[in-house]
Amino acid sequence: MAHSMSTNSHTSHTGRSGRTRRDDWRESATRYALLPLRIFLGITFIYAGLDKLTDSTFMQASGAGSIGAQMEGVRDISAIPALVDLSLKSPVGFGYAIALGELAVGIGTLLGLFARVAAVGGALISLSLWLTVSWHEEPYYYGNDLAYLMAWLPLILAGASVLSLDALRAARRGTPRGPDGPARTGPGPAAP
């Protein structure tokens, strides 16, 4: 990759490669730009999943505060009542599916493990919650599930290229490997 030298007369600090400190900062900022979003979404979805799994009132088919009561309450005002009807066939099972899905998405996002797959999962969870639970919010921007859906899109597009298990896996795949492990460099016989 070729780099051009800055000719800006206002910048006097250049590094070894002729790039300015300001250029280095911009490059770092761009590289790490999605990390705060990853951390926020990862922690939030882990928390949401654990909160549901540890709330015995939530994981009930009926009663105040239960997943069943919540789904009954939004059935007639959701965008897709058939989706709510599907969840009402087994509200506790649906509650566990959402909670475990949020937990898996949060862990994958936070660790950067299969980050794009995790982001698609997060987007699908957010979309389903927006179309059912928060669809009735007026005006629409009061419903936080739509904002979460939009927040997942950059991670679907970009993945987790820094400080992630995906980046570690990609770096390992980029290393030439021979049949007995990493290819040797330096003196000695060349690998076939």
Coordinates of all heavy atoms in Angstrom, one line a residue, residues 41-126:
L41 N -23.2 -2.3 22.5 CA -24.2 -3.3 22.1 C -23.9 -4.6 22.7 O -24.8 -5.3 23.2 CB -24.2 -3.4 20.6 CG -24.8 -2.2 19.8 CD1 -24.6 -2.4 18.3 CD2 -26.3 -2.0 20.2
G42 N -22.6 -5.0 22.8 CA -22.3 -6.3 23.5 C -22.7 -6.3 24.9 O -23.4 -7.3 25.3
I43 N -22.3 -5.3 25.7 CA -22.7 -5.3 27.1 C -24.2 -5.2 27.3 O -24.8 -5.9 28.1 CB -22.0 -4.1 27.8 CG1 -20.5 -4.5 27.9 CG2 -22.6 -3.9 29.2 CD1 -19.6 -3.3 28.4
T44 N -24.9 -4.4 26.5 CA -26.3 -4.2 26.6 C -27.1 -5.5 26.3 O -28.0 -5.8 27.1 CB -26.8 -3.1 25.6 OG1 -26.1 -1.8 26.0 CG2 -28.3 -2.9 25.7
F45 N -26.6 -6.2 25.3 CA -27.4 -7.4 24.9 C -27.0 -8.5 25.9 O -27.9 -9.3 26.3 CB -27.1 -7.8 23.5 CG -28.1 -7.3 22.5 CD1 -28.3 -5.9 22.4 CD2 -28.9 -8.1 21.8 CE1 -29.2 -5.4 21.6 CE2 -29.9 -7.6 20.9 CZ -30.0 -6.2 20.8
I46 N -25.8 -8.6 26.5 CA -25.5 -9.5 27.5 C -26.4 -9.2 28.8 O -27.0 -10.1 29.3 CB -24.0 -9.5 27.9 CG1 -23.2 -10.1 26.7 CG2 -23.8 -10.3 29.2 CD1 -21.7 -10.0 26.9
Y47 N -26.4 -8.0 29.1 CA -27.2 -7.6 30.3 C -28.7 -7.9 30.1 O -29.4 -8.5 31.0 CB -27.1 -6.1 30.6 CG -27.9 -5.6 31.7 CD1 -27.5 -5.8 33.0 CD2 -29.1 -4.9 31.5 CE1 -28.3 -5.4 34.1 CE2 -29.9 -4.4 32.5 CZ -29.5 -4.7 33.8 OH -30.3 -4.3 34.8
A48 N -29.2 -7.6 28.9 CA -30.7 -7.9 28.6 C -31.0 -9.4 28.7 O -32.0 -9.8 29.2 CB -31.0 -7.3 27.2
G49 N -30.1 -10.2 28.1 CA -30.3 -11.6 28.2 C -30.2 -12.2 29.6 O -31.1 -12.9 30.0
L50 N -29.2 -11.7 30.4 CA -29.1 -12.2 31.7 C -30.3 -11.7 32.6 O -30.8 -12.4 33.5 CB -27.8 -11.7 32.3 CG -26.5 -12.4 31.8 CD1 -25.3 -11.8 32.4 CD2 -26.6 -13.9 32.1
D51 N -30.7 -10.5 32.3 CA -31.8 -9.9 33.1 C -33.1 -10.7 32.9 O -33.8 -11.0 33.8 CB -32.1 -8.4 32.6 CG -33.1 -7.7 33.5 OD1 -33.0 -7.9 34.7 OD2 -33.9 -7.0 32.9
K52 N -33.3 -11.1 31.7 CA -34.5 -12.0 31.4 C -34.4 -13.4 32.0 O -35.3 -13.9 32.6 CB -34.7 -12.1 29.9 CG -35.2 -10.9 29.2 CD -35.3 -11.0 27.7 CE -35.7 -9.8 27.0 NZ -34.8 -8.7 27.1
L53 N -33.2 -14.0 31.9 CA -33.0 -15.3 32.4 C -33.0 -15.4 33.9 O -33.4 -16.4 34.5 CB -31.6 -15.8 31.9 CG -31.5 -16.2 30.4 CD1 -30.1 -16.5 30.1 CD2 -32.4 -17.3 30.1
T54 N -32.7 -14.3 34.6 CA -32.7 -14.3 36.1 C -34.0 -13.7 36.7 O -34.1 -13.7 37.9 CB -31.5 -13.6 36.6 OG1 -31.5 -12.2 36.1 CG2 -30.2 -14.2 36.2
D55 N -34.9 -13.3 35.9 CA -36.1 -12.7 36.4 C -37.2 -13.8 36.3 O -37.8 -14.1 35.3 CB -36.5 -11.5 35.5 CG -37.8 -10.8 36.1 OD1 -38.4 -11.3 37.0 OD2 -38.1 -9.7 35.5
S56 N -37.5 -14.4 37.5 CA -38.5 -15.5 37.5 C -39.9 -15.0 37.1 O -40.7 -15.7 36.6 CB -38.5 -16.2 38.8 OG -38.8 -15.2 39.9
T57 N -40.2 -13.7 37.4 CA -41.5 -13.2 37.0 C -41.6 -13.1 35.5 O -42.7 -13.4 35.0 CB -41.7 -11.8 37.7 OG1 -41.5 -11.9 39.1 CG2 -43.0 -11.2 37.3
F58 N -40.6 -12.7 34.8 CA -40.6 -12.5 33.4 C -40.8 -13.8 32.7 O -41.6 -13.9 31.7 CB -39.3 -11.9 32.9 CG -39.3 -11.7 31.4 CD1 -39.9 -10.6 30.8 CD2 -38.5 -12.6 30.6 CE1 -39.9 -10.5 29.4 CE2 -38.5 -12.4 29.3 CZ -39.2 -11.4 28.7
M59 N -40.1 -14.9 33.2 CA -40.2 -16.2 32.5 C -41.4 -17.0 32.9 O -41.3 -18.1 33.3 CB -38.9 -17.0 32.8 CG -37.7 -16.5 32.1 SD -37.9 -16.6 30.3 CE -36.4 -16.0 29.7
Q60 N -42.6 -16.4 32.8 CA -43.9 -17.0 33.1 C -44.8 -16.8 31.9 O -44.7 -15.9 31.2 CB -44.5 -16.4 34.4 CG -43.7 -16.6 35.6 CD -43.6 -18.0 36.1 OE1 -44.6 -18.8 36.0 NE2 -42.4 -18.4 36.6
A61 N -45.8 -17.7 31.8 CA -46.7 -17.7 30.7 C -47.8 -16.6 31.0 O -48.4 -16.1 30.0 CB -47.4 -19.0 30.5
S62 N -48.0 -16.3 32.2 CA -49.1 -15.3 32.6 C -48.7 -14.6 33.9 O -47.8 -15.1 34.6 CB -50.4 -16.0 32.7 OG -50.4 -16.9 33.7
G63 N -49.4 -13.6 34.2 CA -49.2 -12.8 35.4 C -48.5 -11.5 35.1 O -47.8 -11.3 34.1
A64 N -48.6 -10.6 36.1 CA -48.0 -9.3 35.9 C -46.5 -9.4 35.7 O -45.8 -10.1 36.4 CB -48.3 -8.4 37.2
G65 N -46.0 -8.7 34.7 CA -44.6 -8.6 34.4 C -44.1 -9.8 33.6 O -42.9 -9.9 33.4
S66 N -44.9 -10.7 33.3 CA -44.5 -12.0 32.6 C -44.4 -11.7 31.1 O -45.0 -10.8 30.5 CB -45.5 -13.1 32.8 OG -46.7 -12.8 32.1
I67 N -43.6 -12.5 30.4 CA -43.5 -12.5 28.9 C -44.8 -12.7 28.3 O -45.2 -12.0 27.3 CB -42.4 -13.4 28.4 CG1 -42.2 -13.3 26.9 CG2 -42.7 -14.9 28.8 CD1 -41.6 -12.1 26.3
G68 N -45.6 -13.6 28.8 CA -46.9 -13.9 28.3 C -47.8 -12.7 28.4 O -48.5 -12.3 27.4
A69 N -47.8 -12.0 29.5 CA -48.7 -10.8 29.7 C -48.2 -9.7 28.8 O -49.0 -8.9 28.2 CB -48.7 -10.4 31.1
Q70 N -46.9 -9.6 28.6 CA -46.3 -8.5 27.8 C -46.7 -8.7 26.3 O -47.2 -7.8 25.6 CB -44.8 -8.5 27.9 CG -44.2 -7.4 27.1 CD -42.7 -7.3 27.3 OE1 -42.0 -8.2 28.0 NE2 -42.0 -6.3 26.7
M71 N -46.6 -10.0 25.8 CA -47.0 -10.3 24.5 C -48.5 -10.1 24.2 O -48.9 -9.7 23.2 CB -46.5 -11.7 24.1 CG -45.0 -11.9 24.1 SD -44.0 -10.5 23.4 CE -44.4 -10.8 21.7
E72 N -49.3 -10.5 25.2 CA -50.8 -10.3 25.1 C -51.1 -8.8 25.0 O -52.0 -8.4 24.3 CB -51.5 -10.9 26.4 CG -51.6 -12.4 26.4 CD -52.7 -12.9 25.5 OE1 -53.5 -12.2 24.9 OE2 -52.7 -14.2 25.2
G73 N -50.4 -8.0 25.8 CA -50.6 -6.6 25.8 C -50.2 -5.9 24.5 O -50.8 -4.8 24.2
V74 N -49.3 -6.4 23.7 CA -48.9 -5.7 22.5 C -49.5 -6.4 21.2 O -49.4 -5.9 20.1 CB -47.4 -5.7 22.3 CG1 -46.8 -4.9 23.5 CG2 -46.8 -7.0 22.2
R75 N -50.3 -7.5 21.4 CA -50.7 -8.2 20.3 C -51.6 -7.4 19.3 O -51.3 -7.4 18.1 CB -51.6 -9.4 20.7 CG -51.8 -10.4 19.6 CD -53.3 -10.6 19.4 NE -53.5 -11.5 18.3 CZ -53.9 -11.1 17.1 NH1 -54.1 -9.8 16.9 NH2 -54.1 -11.9 16.1
D76 N -52.5 -6.6 19.8 CA -53.4 -5.9 18.9 C -52.8 -4.5 18.4 O -53.4 -3.9 17.5 CB -54.7 -5.6 19.6 CG -55.5 -6.9 19.9 OD1 -55.3 -7.8 19.1 OD2 -56.2 -6.9 20.9
I77 N -51.7 -4.1 18.9 CA -51.1 -2.9 18.5 C -49.7 -3.1 17.8 O -49.0 -2.1 17.4 CB -50.9 -1.9 19.7 CG1 -50.1 -2.5 20.8 CG2 -52.3 -1.4 20.1 CD1 -49.8 -1.5 21.9
S78 N -49.4 -4.3 17.5 CA -48.1 -4.6 16.9 C -48.3 -4.5 15.4 O -49.4 -4.6 14.8 CB -47.6 -6.0 17.3 OG -48.3 -7.0 16.7
A79 N -47.2 -4.4 14.7 CA -47.2 -4.3 13.2 C -47.5 -5.7 12.6 O -48.1 -5.8 11.5 CB -45.8 -3.8 12.7
I80 N -47.1 -6.7 13.3 CA -47.3 -8.1 12.8 C -47.9 -8.9 13.9 O -47.2 -9.7 14.6 CB -45.9 -8.7 12.3 CG1 -45.3 -7.8 11.3 CG2 -46.2 -10.1 11.7 CD1 -43.9 -8.3 10.8
P81 N -49.2 -8.9 14.1 CA -49.8 -9.7 15.1 C -49.6 -11.2 15.0 O -49.5 -11.9 16.0 CB -51.3 -9.3 15.0 CG -51.4 -8.1 14.2 CD -50.2 -8.0 13.4
A82 N -49.4 -11.7 13.8 CA -49.1 -13.1 13.6 C -47.8 -13.5 14.3 O -47.7 -14.6 14.8 CB -49.1 -13.4 12.1
L83 N -46.8 -12.6 14.3 CA -45.6 -12.9 15.0 C -45.8 -13.0 16.5 O -45.2 -13.8 17.2 CB -44.6 -11.8 14.7 CG -43.1 -12.0 15.1 CD1 -42.5 -13.3 14.5 CD2 -42.3 -10.8 14.7
V84 N -46.7 -12.1 17.0 CA -47.0 -12.2 18.5 C -47.8 -13.5 18.7 O -47.5 -14.1 19.7 CB -47.8 -10.9 18.9 CG1 -48.2 -11.0 20.4 CG2 -47.0 -9.7 18.6
D85 N -48.7 -13.8 17.9 CA -49.5 -15.1 18.0 C -48.5 -16.3 18.1 O -48.7 -17.2 18.9 CB -50.5 -15.2 16.9 CG -51.6 -14.3 17.0 OD1 -51.9 -13.7 18.1 OD2 -52.3 -14.0 15.9
L86 N -47.5 -16.2 17.2 CA -46.5 -17.3 17.3 C -45.8 -17.4 18.6 O -45.6 -18.5 19.2 CB -45.5 -17.1 16.1 CG -44.4 -18.2 15.9 CD1 -45.1 -19.5 15.5 CD2 -43.4 -17.7 14.9
S87 N -45.4 -16.3 19.2 CA -44.8 -16.3 20.5 C -45.7 -16.7 21.6 O -45.3 -17.3 22.6 CB -44.2 -14.9 20.8 OG -45.2 -14.0 21.1
L88 N -47.0 -16.4 21.4 CA -48.0 -16.8 22.4 C -48.3 -18.3 22.5 O -48.9 -18.8 23.5 CB -49.3 -16.0 22.3 CG -49.2 -14.5 22.7 CD1 -50.4 -13.8 22.2 CD2 -49.0 -14.4 24.2
K89 N -47.9 -19.0 21.5 CA -48.0 -20.5 21.5 C -47.2 -21.1 22.6 O -47.5 -22.1 23.2 CB -47.7 -21.1 20.2 CG -48.7 -20.8 19.1 CD -48.4 -21.5 17.8 CE -49.5 -21.1 16.8 NZ -49.4 -21.8 15.6
S90 N -46.0 -20.5 22.9 CA -45.2 -20.9 24.0 C -44.4 -19.7 24.5 O -43.2 -19.5 24.1 CB -44.2 -22.0 23.5 OG -43.3 -22.3 24.5
P91 N -45.1 -18.8 25.3 CA -44.4 -17.6 25.7 C -43.1 -17.8 26.5 O -42.2 -17.1 26.3 CB -45.5 -16.9 26.6 CG -46.6 -17.8 26.7 CD -46.4 -19.0 25.8
V92 N -43.1 -18.8 27.3 CA -41.9 -19.1 28.1 C -40.7 -19.5 27.2 O -39.6 -19.1 27.3 CB -42.1 -20.1 29.2 CG1 -40.8 -20.5 29.9 CG2 -43.1 -19.6 30.2
G93 N -41.0 -20.4 26.2 CA -40.0 -20.8 25.2 C -39.5 -19.6 24.4 O -38.3 -19.5 24.1
F94 N -40.5 -18.8 24.0 CA -40.1 -17.5 23.3 C -39.2 -16.7 24.2 O -38.2 -16.1 23.7 CB -41.4 -16.8 22.8 CG -41.1 -15.5 22.2 CD1 -40.6 -15.5 20.9 CD2 -41.3 -14.3 22.8 CE1 -40.3 -14.3 20.2 CE2 -41.0 -13.1 22.2 CZ -40.5 -13.1 20.9
G95 N -39.6 -16.5 25.4 CA -38.8 -15.7 26.3 C -37.3 -16.3 26.5 O -36.4 -15.5 26.4
Y96 N -37.2 -17.6 26.6 CA -35.9 -18.2 26.6 C -35.1 -18.0 25.3 O -33.9 -17.8 25.3 CB -36.0 -19.7 27.0 CG -36.1 -19.9 28.5 CD1 -37.2 -20.4 29.1 CD2 -35.0 -19.6 29.3 CE1 -37.3 -20.6 30.4 CE2 -35.1 -19.8 30.7 CZ -36.2 -20.3 31.3 OH -36.3 -20.5 32.6
A97 N -35.8 -18.1 24.2 CA -35.2 -18.0 22.9 C -34.6 -16.6 22.7 O -33.5 -16.4 22.3 CB -36.2 -18.3 21.8
I98 N -35.4 -15.6 23.1 CA -35.0 -14.2 23.0 C -33.8 -13.9 24.0 O -32.8 -13.4 23.6 CB -36.1 -13.2 23.3 CG1 -37.1 -13.2 22.2 CG2 -35.6 -11.8 23.6 CD1 -36.6 -12.6 20.9
A99 N -33.9 -14.4 25.2 CA -32.9 -14.2 26.2 C -31.6 -14.9 25.8 O -30.5 -14.2 25.9 CB -33.3 -14.7 27.6
L100 N -31.6 -16.1 25.4 CA -30.4 -16.8 25.0 C -29.9 -16.2 23.7 O -28.6 -16.1 23.5 CB -30.7 -18.3 24.8 CG -31.0 -19.0 26.1 CD1 -31.5 -20.5 25.8 CD2 -29.9 -19.0 27.1
G101 N -30.7 -15.8 22.8 CA -30.3 -15.1 21.6 C -29.6 -13.8 21.9 O -28.5 -13.5 21.4
E102 N -30.1 -13.0 22.8 CA -29.5 -11.8 23.2 C -28.1 -12.0 23.9 O -27.1 -11.3 23.6 CB -30.4 -11.0 24.2 CG -31.5 -10.3 23.6 CD -32.5 -9.7 24.6 OE1 -32.6 -10.2 25.8 OE2 -33.3 -8.8 24.2
L103 N -28.0 -13.1 24.7 CA -26.8 -13.4 25.3 C -25.7 -13.9 24.3 O -24.6 -13.4 24.3 CB -27.1 -14.6 26.3 CG -26.0 -14.9 27.4 CD1 -25.7 -13.6 28.2 CD2 -26.5 -16.0 28.3
A104 N -26.1 -14.7 23.4 CA -25.2 -15.1 22.3 C -24.7 -14.0 21.4 O -23.5 -13.8 21.1 CB -25.8 -16.2 21.4
V105 N -25.6 -13.1 21.1 CA -25.3 -11.9 20.3 C -24.4 -11.0 21.0 O -23.4 -10.5 20.5 CB -26.6 -11.2 19.8 CG1 -26.3 -9.8 19.4 CG2 -27.3 -12.0 18.8
G106 N -24.7 -10.8 22.3 CA -23.9 -9.9 23.1 C -22.4 -10.4 23.3 O -21.5 -9.7 23.1
I107 N -22.3 -11.7 23.6 CA -21.0 -12.3 23.7 C -20.2 -12.3 22.4 O -19.0 -11.9 22.4 CB -21.1 -13.7 24.3 CG1 -21.6 -13.7 25.7 CG2 -19.7 -14.5 24.2 CD1 -22.0 -15.1 26.3
G108 N -20.9 -12.6 21.3 CA -20.2 -12.6 20.0 C -19.8 -11.2 19.6 O -18.7 -11.0 19.1
T109 N -20.6 -10.2 19.9 CA -20.3 -8.8 19.6 C -19.1 -8.3 20.5 O -18.2 -7.7 20.0 CB -21.5 -8.0 19.7 OG1 -22.5 -8.5 18.9 CG2 -21.2 -6.5 19.4
L110 N -19.2 -8.6 21.7 CA -18.2 -8.1 22.7 C -16.8 -8.7 22.4 O -15.8 -8.0 22.4 CB -18.6 -8.3 24.1 CG -17.9 -7.6 25.2 CD1 -18.0 -6.1 25.0 CD2 -18.4 -8.0 26.6
L111 N -16.8 -10.0 22.1 CA -15.5 -10.7 21.8 C -15.1 -10.5 20.4 O -13.9 -10.8 20.0 CB -15.6 -12.2 22.2 CG -15.9 -12.5 23.6 CD1 -16.0 -14.0 23.8 CD2 -14.8 -12.0 24.5
G112 N -16.0 -10.1 19.5 CA -15.7 -10.0 18.1 C -15.5 -11.4 17.5 O -14.7 -11.6 16.6
L113 N -16.4 -12.3 17.9 CA -16.3 -13.7 17.4 C -17.5 -13.9 16.5 O -18.7 -13.7 16.9 CB -16.4 -14.7 18.6 CG -16.4 -16.1 18.2 CD1 -15.1 -16.5 17.5 CD2 -16.5 -17.0 19.5
F114 N -17.3 -14.2 15.2 CA -18.3 -14.2 14.2 C -19.2 -12.9 14.3 O -20.4 -13.0 14.4 CB -19.2 -15.5 14.4 CG -18.4 -16.7 14.3 CD1 -18.2 -17.5 15.4 CD2 -17.8 -17.1 13.1 CE1 -17.5 -18.7 15.3 CE2 -17.1 -18.3 13.0 CZ -16.9 -19.1 14.1
A115 N -18.5 -11.8 14.3 CA -19.1 -10.5 14.6 C -20.2 -10.2 13.7 O -21.2 -9.6 14.1 CB -18.0 -9.4 14.7
R116 N -20.0 -10.4 12.4 CA -21.1 -10.1 11.4 C -22.3 -11.0 11.7 O -23.5 -10.5 11.6 CB -20.6 -10.3 10.0 CG -19.7 -9.1 9.6 CD -19.5 -9.2 8.1 NE -18.9 -8.0 7.6 CZ -17.6 -7.9 7.3 NH1 -16.8 -8.9 7.3 NH2 -17.1 -6.7 6.9
V117 N -22.1 -12.2 12.0 CA -23.3 -13.1 12.3 C -24.0 -12.7 13.5 O -25.2 -12.6 13.6 CB -22.8 -14.6 12.4 CG1 -23.9 -15.5 12.9 CG2 -22.2 -15.1 11.1
A118 N -23.2 -12.3 14.5 CA -23.8 -11.8 15.8 C -24.6 -10.5 15.5 O -25.7 -10.3 16.0 CB -22.7 -11.5 16.8
A119 N -24.0 -9.6 14.7 CA -24.7 -8.4 14.3 C -26.0 -8.6 13.6 O -27.0 -8.0 13.8 CB -23.8 -7.4 13.5
V120 N -26.0 -9.6 12.7 CA -27.3 -10.0 12.0 C -28.3 -10.5 13.0 O -29.5 -10.1 13.0 CB -27.0 -11.0 10.9 CG1 -28.3 -11.6 10.4 CG2 -26.2 -10.4 9.7
G121 N -27.8 -11.3 13.9 CA -28.7 -11.8 15.0 C -29.3 -10.7 15.8 O -30.5 -10.6 16.1
G122 N -28.4 -9.7 16.2 CA -28.9 -8.6 17.0 C -29.9 -7.7 16.2 O -30.9 -7.2 16.7
A123 N -29.6 -7.5 14.9 CA -30.5 -6.8 14.1 C -31.9 -7.5 14.0 O -32.9 -6.8 14.0 CB -29.9 -6.5 12.7
L124 N -31.8 -8.8 13.8 CA -33.1 -9.5 13.7 C -33.9 -9.5 15.0 O -35.1 -9.4 15.0 CB -32.8 -11.0 13.3 CG -32.4 -11.2 11.9 CD1 -32.0 -12.6 11.6 CD2 -33.5 -10.7 10.9
I125 N -33.2 -9.6 16.2 CA -33.9 -9.5 17.5 C -34.5 -8.1 17.6 O -35.6 -7.9 18.0 CB -32.9 -9.8 18.6 CG1 -32.6 -11.2 18.7 CG2 -33.5 -9.3 20.0 CD1 -31.4 -11.6 19.6
S126 N -33.7 -7.1 17.3 CA -34.2 -5.7 17.4 C -35.3 -5.4 16.4 O -36.3 -4.8 16.8 CB -33.0 -4.7 17.1 OG -32.0 -4.8 18.0

